[in-house]
Amino acid sequence: MRARVGTARRAPSPASALWLVLALGCTGHDPRGGKAPTAVPRPASSATQPTPRKTPLELAEVALGQSEYRSAEQLFGQIWRTSPRGKTRAEAAFGLMRTWLLVGRAEEILPLSSQLQSELVTSEIDKLQVATLVERSLVLEAKARRALGQVAEALALLQPEEAEKKLVSGEARLLAGELLLELGRRSEAQAPLMSLIEDYNDDRITEADGAGLVLVGRAAYLLSSAKDANDAFNQAERVLPDSDQLRLYRAELFLEKYDPGHAEEVLSELLKRAPNHPEANMWMARVRLDQAFDFDEAERLAKKALSVNPRLTSAYGVLAGVALREAHLTQAERWVAEGLKFNPRDLELLSLHATARYLSDDTAGFEAAKAKILAQNPEYSRMFNIIGDYAEWEHRYDEIVGMMREALQIDPENAKARAQLGLNLIRGGSDVPGVTALRHAFDSDPFNVRVYNTLDLFEKEIPKNYTTVEAGRFRFRYPKNEQALLSRYVPPMLERAFQKLQKSYGFTPESPVGIELYSSRQSFAVRTSGLPETAIQGVCFGRTLAAMSLGEEKFNLGMTLWHELSHVFHIQLSRSRVPRWFTEGLAEYETLTERPEWSREQDPDLVEALRQKKLPELQAMTQAFTRVEDIEDVATAYYASTEVIEFLAQKYGRAVFPKMLRAWGAGKRTPEVLSETLGHTPKALNAAFLEFLKPRLERYQRQFVPVRRTGSPEHAEALATEHPEDAKNLARWVLLLQRQNREAESQAALVQALKRHPKDPDLRFLRARALAQAKDSAGLVDAVGALIREGFDGYEVQMLLGEAFRLAQDWDRALLALQRAHEWDPTEVEPLRALVQLGERMGKPEVELDALRKLALLDEHNPGIYRRLLERLLIRGEIDEGVRVGEAAVYADMDGLGTHVAYAELLLRAEKREQAIFELESAALCPGTVAEKEAVWRRLADVAGSLGNAKARDRYLAEAEKLKLLPEAAPPQASPGAPAP
């Protein structure tokens, strides 16, 4: 039974949550309609069934479909030149025009179209067929004029003043609707677009008409009916599974609905057959940005698209967008200008120009840019959506609110603008008006997954499971089941942090500052982005910060919240103009100066970045966050930025930081801020920074440091294949295969690499690594020993040697190797973790304790380390040290019952009974078994009794007695990261 396609003449009906998740790919279902279409089986080949030879026109179409554009042009051109006037010659002309559209030669289409039309009207072909062919030519000519920026002229071809000359094909009506929308004449666009919907509903476009269904789907999309568009595309794909245009339309729909995964799927299908298709490569570039902000790959794909079609303005938009996100505003303007040379009225490029003016704080230029766009299309409120995306990247949340209100004045039906308004009101702490705006956005577009998820969080999850508490300058949101514990530690710590930062920056942020803690990663992810996945643990929106709580993961909550609160000062003091590298590095610096264990230790990654020339200069340090291949690169960017801040603090004093933030807030760009505030050019500062790093990294100059990073699989394989003369390329490829556990492939690649480079230490190290994976202790000792004898000793080599002795159960020599590994690099945690285990196994508590002490300063997110260290210090009677460790431990293991108990016992031994009671009461609030909790309450009773507080003693005993009535629960799992015994 055919489903009726809805119209835009009525308000969209509420959508079911089921369809929403199907449409957006949020579950395992395929939004393209379940199972992929099944191809019709080909007949078995035989001598009696030879494959028919393709006609020249068919061969040309194959070349075009495979993106072999030069061959397609030659074949179509030859047919055009040699065929008599008629349908074949016309089809060749159409093929040429379609090819030229793809490769950016739109101006050549105009004379060819004119010549073809002249031929057709004087030909002897049937008049009805002539009319159809002429119309196809006019549609292609209109597309060419549109590509050249001649939108009004293109529309005149499709809708001439003489009514009898107006085009009637579905493609012509769709294009007319798109052009009218581009000119800001939406009310007029309704008629041609709705005519396609009506054709479907009246069975003039049937379920067997794949091409017609593609047009119906696109018309529904342009009429803001995502569900109808998806339904029509599903039907079209069953009939026309190889349509390039269908895949491009689907990719655009998926990206708009925050589903880059399915966009990638349809584009990959197209690019597998047509790898040079410029629009597909451009859309895939946008997918890479939406998926992971993969700037390198996005640039590569956009430039590949331009190598085929140098006039593809949307590809210039990708390149300009990358430059804007990296604060290279001049380069962004260059890309915009290059694209506008080919289409001076491209609305996206003009919006990116307006974005550059906005980010430059050029108010007059920004207003002029907006006025120019609205003069061309008075209804183009999407301009504000585009600008808002980049404003969000720059933390300008309050300004986005103003922009979206301006957008809604232009177009009250702009559902995305209303969604951005609601999301950014909530980010600023205005939950009630934010949720109201999101409800309106959902009514207009029930298929915006960010809106759907955020409403679900704020209307269902938060009222049920969270509570909001006003406390002085803060507004806290706690998980209800964690409030009692969190409220004991978080408010006083943040008050102390606020006062310290207030004094340091000479600035008081707007209050209240929202502190939101979420017990599930999904809820936290939805709060931060509207989408259910994220890899971060905290985020700051300027006046509000959100973080993971104690529920699902173990991490140092104190360090995370101090870091995020620092951003509140940076963002507000700089009026949201601070570069990412500076605010991240400065927030890290604030944590490590508060507690020395709240610091990163990633010197080896920094060395690798320097070795591979991946560390940008200071003025472009934001690229360290954007030019990344995996999450480790982001961590390195944080660490490198912190090192820059430490360098500036040592050279100029920390008083320079608020001056720099205020300079950015005044609208100055980074080179200007560095030069004027610090008195040195960016180039001189960068040289001084590299000198600052040398003594800190000097130990790596004295040891062998094997290849650590591989880059992306595609890049690593390409380098190894194309440049095998460089042993490093081969080593990175082998390392990647080893890490992916592709044992046979890695071994074969390693053998071949060693044949070419038998003395290369990286490859020999990887051979030793393979022996370790194979648990060949004897071979491993020989391989590592040979490296050491030849001078290639160091941290990594000693770790492998330690593994060899561990495999052989030679504990004394394993201990020695691990200690040497630690000497080579005191910042690495792996040898210390191994020494903790080995010390216990060998009955050497001094080895275990020494390693635990060092680990506590390096492994600040590991609750098991702190707990074990507290217990060992308590046994040994190291009371003062234990108390100091306990002060740090509670932030890494706030819901760790054992940690609070051990800390409390140390406090009791230090005669700090009131603090001990506080920690024991905290322990009673932590997850634990009935027996553990009963023991805590009884210990509290003992302490209260020793203080002569009979009332408190009886109350604690009563709590212990209550627990006797409860069934014993399953013991909690070990904390992640705790060293195994």
Side-chain angles (χ1 to χ4, degrees):
M1 180 177 177
R2 283 164 59 84
R4 180 179 177 83
V5 172
T7 72
R9 294 172 182 162
R10 62 177 188 274
S13 58
S16 69
L18 174 62
W19 193 88
L20 181 71
V21 295
L22 289 177
L24 298 170
C26 296
T27 71
H29 299 279
D30 187 342
R32 294 160 43 188
K35 293 182 179 179
T38 303
V40 177
R42 296 177 179 173
S45 60
S46 69
T48 59
Q49 288 186 323
T51 303
R53 295 183 62 183
K54 293 187 184 300
T55 66
L57 201 57
E58 288 173 333
L59 290 172
E61 289 290 350
V62 169
L64 181 59
Q66 294 177 347
S67 68
E68 297 170 0
Y69 300 123
R70 186 171 298 177
S71 296
E73 182 183 9
Q74 290 173 347
L75 290 166
F76 283 128
Q78 185 177 9
I79 299 168
W80 163 254
R81 290 189 299 272
T82 59
S83 297
R85 295 186 179 188
K87 192 170 185 303
T88 299
R89 181 173 163 86
E91 291 292 348
F94 297 149
L96 274 174
M97 293 184 215
R98 285 157 48 219
T99 304
W100 288 342
L101 274 174
L102 282 166
V103 300
R105 290 159 61 187
E107 72 284 352
E108 298 181 44
I109 293 174
L110 307 185
L112 179 59
S113 176
S114 178
Q115 181 182 347
L116 176 62
Q117 291 167 46
S118 298
E119 288 185 4
L120 288 170
V121 296
T122 60
S123 71
E124 298 180 358
I125 307 175
D126 174 79
K127 287 186 177 180
L128 185 58
Q129 196 173 49
V130 166
T132 300
L133 295 172
V134 167
E135 184 163 322
R136 285 177 63 190
S137 180
L138 286 168
V139 168
L140 286 165
E141 183 180 343
K143 289 182 177 180
R145 290 191 180 279
R146 182 188 191 184
L148 296 169
Q150 301 170 14
V151 179
E153 294 86 340
L155 183 62
L157 290 173
L158 304 176
Q159 294 187 327
E161 293 183 3
E162 302 89 342
E164 69 277 5
K165 292 185 178 180
K166 289 184 179 178
L167 306 192
V168 296
S169 73
E171 190 173 10
R173 284 177 281 153
L174 176 66
L175 182 57
E178 289 190 339
L179 293 170
L180 286 164
L181 289 172
E182 197 167 331
L183 289 167
R185 294 157 60 181
R186 183 187 311 155
S187 59
E188 295 176 58
Q190 288 271 335
L193 295 175
M194 282 303 305
S195 71
L196 288 163
I197 307 298
E198 289 159 358
D199 281 354
Y200 175 84
N201 289 332
D202 295 339
D203 286 338
R204 289 187 291 273
I205 293 177
T206 69
E207 291 182 356
D209 183 358
L213 289 167
V214 172
L215 300 177
V216 171
R218 181 64 174 180
Y221 169 80
L222 295 171
L223 290 166
S224 301
S225 182
K227 181 180 185 303
D228 291 336
N230 192 64
D231 288 344
F233 289 151
N234 283 338
Q235 293 185 54
E237 190 165 5
R238 296 185 186 103
V239 182
L240 206 65
D242 295 325
S243 167
D244 290 356
Q245 192 60 69
L246 173 59
R247 289 193 173 98
L248 294 172
Y249 285 160
R250 302 214 78 167
E252 186 174 357
L253 173 62
F254 287 137
L255 280 175
E256 183 176 293
K257 299 305 174 186
Y258 306 101
D259 186 2
H262 281 98
E264 178 185 27
E265 183 181 323
V266 295
L267 292 170
S268 295
E269 291 167 358
L270 197 166
L271 289 168
K272 184 176 181 180
R273 175 172 48 79
N276 300 312
H277 196 295
E279 290 183 53
N281 278 295
M282 179 277 299
W283 282 113
M284 187 63 90
R286 293 177 188 251
V287 166
R288 294 292 178 250
L289 289 173
D290 278 15
Q291 280 179 326
F293 292 113
D294 188 341
F295 287 22
D296 287 324
E297 185 65 3
E299 275 194 348
R300 185 189 72 80
L301 289 164
K303 289 177 179 178
K304 181 177 181 180
L306 289 172
S307 71
V308 177
N309 181 353
R311 297 187 172 193
L312 186 63
T313 54
S314 51
Y316 288 107
V318 171
L319 295 172
V322 169
L324 287 171
R325 284 194 168 95
E326 294 188 329
H328 296 324
L329 304 187
T330 302
Q331 180 59 56
E333 293 275 38
R334 289 195 193 104
W335 288 124
V336 167
E338 191 68 22
L340 290 175
K341 284 195 310 189
F342 305 117
N343 181 355
R345 68 176 321 283
D346 185 286
L347 293 173
E348 181 189 17
L349 287 179
L350 291 170
S351 298
L352 292 172
H353 166 65
T355 303
R357 294 300 87 220
Y358 163 73
L359 295 177
S360 299
D361 288 307
D362 176 6
T363 304
F366 178 46
E367 293 300 326
K370 288 195 299 181
K372 182 176 181 179
I373 293 168
L374 295 174
Q376 294 189 154
N377 182 343
E379 297 178 343
Y380 195 66
S381 64
R382 181 171 176 263
M383 161 183 64
F384 292 100
N385 300 130
I386 293 171
I387 300 167
D389 286 340
Y390 295 95
E392 181 179 331
W393 182 265
E394 296 287 324
H395 314 294
R396 302 190 188 186
Y397 307 112
D398 290 342
E399 294 173 24
I400 297 173
V401 169
M403 276 187 227
M404 295 309 120
R405 286 179 170 148
E406 193 173 349
L408 291 167
Q409 288 179 348
I410 295 170
D411 178 10
E413 300 303 315
N414 186 334
K416 186 173 181 181
R418 202 169 291 281
Q420 286 179 282
L421 171 63
L423 290 169
N424 284 284
L425 282 169
I426 288 173
R427 285 169 175 166
S430 300
D431 290 358
V432 173
V435 169
T436 300
L438 290 176
R439 287 195 191 110
H440 289 316
F442 185 78
D443 289 342
S444 299
D445 178 12
F447 309 108
N448 185 323
V449 68
R450 295 176 72 187
V451 171
Y452 176 85
N453 290 337
T454 305
L455 281 175
D456 191 64
L457 175 68
F458 275 83
E459 294 185 328
K460 297 177 182 177
E461 176 70 11
I462 288 175
K464 179 181 178 182
N465 295 319
Y466 291 83
T467 185
T468 299
V469 177
E470 301 281 348
R473 63 177 100 243
F474 298 112
R475 179 189 295 121
F476 292 98
R477 174 172 293 148
Y478 297 115
K480 288 180 180 178
N481 62 343
E482 297 177 11
Q483 178 186 357
L485 181 59
L486 289 169
S487 61
R488 297 169 70 84
Y489 295 93
V490 172
M493 182 203 71
L494 287 180
E495 179 61 33
R496 188 173 75 254
F498 193 98
Q499 292 180 14
K500 180 178 179 181
L501 294 167
Q502 184 182 40
K503 181 179 179 181
S504 177
Y505 292 101
F507 172 74
T508 302
E510 295 181 35
S511 60
V513 176
I515 312 292
E516 302 180 7
L517 300 170
Y518 292 90
S519 57
S520 81
R521 176 154 289 281
Q522 179 171 312
S523 295
F524 169 65
V526 169
R527 174 62 181 91
T528 58
S529 68
L531 300 175
E533 294 181 4
T534 183
I536 60 177
Q537 290 166 327
V539 68
C540 177
F541 297 115
R543 281 186 293 179
T544 303
L545 63 89
M548 287 290 295
S549 183
L550 309 176
E552 293 183 350
E553 300 173 16
K554 290 293 184 182
F555 66 100
N556 196 309
L557 183 60
M559 178 180 177
T560 300
L561 292 178
W562 200 289
H563 176 108
E564 299 303 335
L565 184 63
S566 299
H567 286 320
V568 172
F569 285 80
H570 307 159
I571 291 172
Q572 290 195 30
L573 186 53
S574 70
R575 295 176 52 247
S576 301
R577 270 65 174 170
V578 58
R580 183 176 181 187
W581 68 268
F582 191 86
T583 186
E584 296 297 358
L586 189 51
E588 290 286 291
Y589 180 75
E590 295 294 0
T591 63
L592 68 88
T593 54
E594 171 60 18
R595 301 198 68 91
E597 69 273 10
W598 286 359
S599 62
R600 296 175 185 265
E601 292 82 20
Q602 292 177 266
D603 284 347
D605 294 318
L606 187 57
V607 169
E608 186 73 3
L610 289 165
R611 183 161 70 175
Q612 293 191 31
K613 296 182 170 54
K614 284 192 171 184
L615 190 67
E617 294 190 355
L618 262 63
Q619 64 179 358
M621 188 60 73
T622 292
Q623 283 188 329
F625 292 87
T626 57
R627 302 292 172 152
V628 299
E629 293 170 342
D630 54 40
I631 195 67
E632 291 181 16
D633 285 338
V634 177
T636 305
Y638 273 84
Y639 185 63
S641 299
T642 310
E643 292 293 289
V644 172
I645 298 299
E646 286 205 67
F647 157 68
L648 295 177
Q650 286 191 22
K651 188 173 179 64
Y652 300 98
R654 65 168 299 139
V656 77
F657 298 140
K659 293 179 183 177
M660 296 175 73
L661 291 167
R662 287 188 171 89
W664 274 303
K668 296 181 179 180
R669 309 305 302 165
T670 296
E672 190 178 6
V673 171
L674 295 176
S675 298
E676 293 186 6
T677 310
L678 305 178
H680 292 86
T681 65
K683 187 173 183 179
L685 282 169
N686 195 70
F689 172 60
L690 294 177
E691 286 299 314
F692 165 81
L693 288 178
K694 282 183 179 179
R696 299 166 74 94
L697 305 178
E698 190 271 337
R699 65 186 182 279
Y700 298 102
Q701 302 300 319
R702 297 181 283 105
Q703 62 177 297
F704 167 61
V705 181
V707 166
R708 293 172 62 99
R709 307 302 305 280
T710 65
S712 68
E714 298 81 9
H715 188 57
E717 184 175 17
L719 285 176
T721 303
E722 296 167 14
H723 299 286
E725 71 282 357
D726 188 337
K728 288 286 188 292
N729 292 336
L730 299 180
R732 291 189 184 101
W733 176 237
V734 171
L735 178 59
L736 185 142
L737 293 172
Q738 288 183 347
R739 286 175 174 172
Q740 292 181 342
N741 295 317
R742 294 157 65 178
E743 186 176 343
E745 292 175 79
S746 66
Q747 189 62 28
L750 181 57
V751 168
Q752 291 301 315
L754 282 168
K755 283 182 180 179
R756 183 182 285 268
H757 305 284
K759 296 294 186 182
D760 182 76
D762 283 295
L763 292 170
R764 292 168 64 195
F765 176 83
L766 290 171
R767 179 177 174 273
R769 193 172 183 271
L771 291 168
Q773 290 176 333
K775 301 190 184 326
D776 182 353
S777 60
L780 181 54
V781 169
D782 289 343
V784 173
L787 282 169
I788 294 172
R789 286 192 298 274
E790 294 178 34
F792 299 109
D793 199 0
Y795 163 75
E796 296 271 15
V797 174
Q798 288 295 330
M799 285 298 293
L800 272 184
L801 188 59
E803 175 63 10
F805 293 136
R806 187 194 69 81
L807 289 169
Q809 297 189 8
D810 187 341
W811 308 121
D812 288 326
R813 288 204 283 178
L815 177 65
L816 185 60
L818 290 170
Q819 288 172 335
R820 286 174 177 166
H822 174 66
E823 290 169 3
W824 278 114
D825 196 340
T827 67
E828 290 282 5
V829 300
E830 293 306 323
L832 294 171
R833 287 176 177 173
L835 284 167
V836 169
Q837 298 177 25
L838 199 55
E840 184 180 43
R841 178 186 289 274
M842 297 175 69
K844 294 188 174 184
E846 70 283 356
V847 171
E848 180 190 8
L849 183 58
D850 179 65
L852 285 169
R853 283 172 166 146
K854 293 172 179 175
L855 265 178
L857 294 173
L858 300 175
D859 211 359
E860 65 277 358
H861 293 289
N862 190 329
I865 294 296
Y866 284 106
R867 189 178 313 149
R868 194 162 179 168
L869 177 56
L870 286 173
E871 291 167 352
R872 296 303 184 266
L873 292 172
L874 182 61
I875 291 170
R876 292 173 62 93
E878 304 283 354
I879 306 306
D880 291 342
E881 181 185 358
V883 169
R884 290 195 300 273
V885 171
E887 291 170 357
V890 293
Y891 296 115
D893 198 19
M894 200 171 288
D895 63 346
L897 184 148
T899 294
H900 289 288
V901 168
Y903 183 25
E905 294 299 335
L906 286 158
L907 288 166
L908 287 170
R909 299 275 290 275
E911 301 295 326
K912 297 181 179 181
R913 291 186 176 85
E914 293 300 327
Q915 287 179 256
I917 289 174
F918 183 88
E919 292 302 323
L920 286 169
E921 288 176 338
S922 296
L925 295 170
C926 294
T929 66
V930 170
E932 287 171 336
K933 290 199 168 192
E934 183 185 353
V936 170
W937 287 115
R938 294 195 182 281
R939 184 63 173 136
L940 274 165
D942 290 343
V943 176
S946 70
L947 293 173
N949 190 339
K951 186 176 181 180
R953 179 198 61 199
D954 293 343
R955 178 165 55 85
Y956 293 142
L957 284 173
E959 293 293 336
E961 291 299 319
K962 287 180 189 176
L963 289 170
K964 283 186 174 182
L965 303 176
L966 298 177
E968 181 63 71
Q973 295 182 348
S975 299

